[in-house]
Amino acid sequence: MFEQPKTVLLAGAAGGIAKAIGAELVRRSADITLLTLSRGTGERVPGHTGERRHLSVSLDQADAIGSVEHFLCEFSLPPHWVINCCGLLHDKTHGPEKSLAQCGDNWLMQSIRVNLLTHLHLAQALDRQLQRRQPLLWASLSAKVGSIGDNQMGGWYSYRISKVGLNMLIRNLSIEWGRRLENSCVVAIHPGTTDTPLSKPFQSNLAPGKLYSAVLSARRIVDVLEQLGPADTGQLLFWDGSQLPW
Ligand SMILES: NC(=O)c1ccc[n+]([C@@H]2O[C@H](COP(=O)([O-])OP(=O)(O)OC[C@H]3O[C@@H](n4cnc5c(N)ncnc54)[C@H](OP(=O)(O)O)[C@@H]3O)[C@@H](O)[C@H]2O)c1
């Protein structure tokens, strides 16, 4: 297990789950240092007494790598925890595809930009900063529907395909950083269906009790992360900490 983090980097910080994770981290440790990345301007978490730095950046763009690298250079040590919450399921004109015929290149590529490249670019920005002895816990919010082994339903082509790419990135990162760092853990985690803008259009068909508040999901995610150690690296985790098949 890692020590309680002193500095956490939260990416996609304006999202529903990300905001709740920020609040949960502050609830557990008011003087934590929070570094946030978002396309927006960033908001201070009520009750937070620690340092907070924000960078407005679009992580889906390649030039974000240099901007984030520069931002992180201001700090003598890399963050102890990195939690990347970026993800996309729908926009005003696109949603999950029910069949192959509905899958179009543009939406697939946009899904890959947000579900995969935002995580790749952040990893690339952090990469050169990493120090062999510095502990690092990295968690990317992924999705159970990005598990190939778990897929019994089909559909949702763009979301599933892009999350599969993210999952492979996480597995690769766990191997590369596992060789370079003495003390690292790199995981993908499924938050469970959570009441945020991302799940809004799909909430009506859920079984009772299967839609979780962002506060609850954040609490569960932080609980799981607090229990992880280097031996857990390279996994896709369910919100209760159990392992999902890739
Ligand atoms: N909610 C669920 O039921 C559910 C279930 C399974 C998995 N997940 C995963 O959990 C994560 C968080 O989801 P959420 O429910 O909190 O969704 P959300 O409220 O819609 O937040 C989405 C996040 O993605 C980022 N984002 C969206 N478009 C982007 C773009 N073009 N470029 C860069 N960043 C972009 C946003 O960052 P900014 O701060 O820049 O706005 C925001 O943090 C996602 O990876 C999602 O796939 C959610």
Side-chain angles (χ1 to χ4, degrees), residues 12-17 38-39 85-87 141-142 159 163 193-194 196 198:
I17 298 177
S38 170
R39 292 162 303 163
C85 300
C86 290
L141 295 202
S142 185
Y159 192 65
K163 289 291 192 186
T193 306
T194 306
T196 68
L198 183 136

Side-chain angles (χ1 to χ4, degrees), residues 20-154:
I21 289 176
E24 181 60 22
L25 292 168
V26 166
R27 196 182 69 79
R28 294 182 191 214
S29 175
D31 64 348
I32 196 166
T33 299
L34 275 183
L35 313 179
T36 52
L37 308 176
S38 170
R39 292 162 303 163
T41 49
E43 296 161 24
R44 196 166 182 98
V45 179
H48 184 208
T49 57
E51 188 181 353
R52 183 183 163 280
R53 301 282 187 87
H54 178 76
L55 178 70
S56 293
V57 66
S58 290
L59 279 172
D60 59 343
Q61 303 297 315
D63 61 8
I65 302 168
S67 311
V68 175
E69 219 177 336
H70 186 70
F71 172 71
L72 292 175
C73 274
E74 291 177 28
F75 310 98
S76 52
L77 289 173
H80 303 119
W81 286 16
V82 178
I83 308 174
N84 193 339
C85 300
C86 290
L88 176 73
L89 176 59
H90 60 88
D91 70 5
K92 286 193 185 110
T93 46
H94 302 89
E97 309 88 349
K98 293 202 170 85
S99 67
L100 181 64
Q102 292 174 355
C103 188
D105 289 7
N106 289 344
W107 182 243
L108 173 59
M109 296 315 281
Q110 176 61 7
S111 302
I112 290 172
R113 295 197 83 78
V114 182
N115 289 319
L116 171 60
L117 292 187
T118 56
H119 297 251
L120 178 73
H121 293 156
L122 181 58
Q124 289 173 317
L126 190 69
D127 191 54
R128 273 188 248 164
Q129 268 232 329
L130 294 177
Q131 298 177 16
R132 186 163 181 77
R133 294 223 156 86
Q134 172 75 20
L136 175 73
L137 171 60
W138 170 294
S140 281
L141 295 202
S142 185
K144 189 163 170 258
V145 297
S147 158
I148 293 177
D150 186 71
N151 183 4
Q152 304 297 326
M153 300 273 287

Side-chain angles (χ1 to χ4, degrees), residues 4 6 113 126 134 167 169 201 208 210 220:
Q4 215 43 39
K6 293 186 177 58
R113 295 197 83 78
L126 190 69
Q134 172 75 20
N167 291 346
L169 166 68
K210 290 294 178 195
R220 287 165 165 170

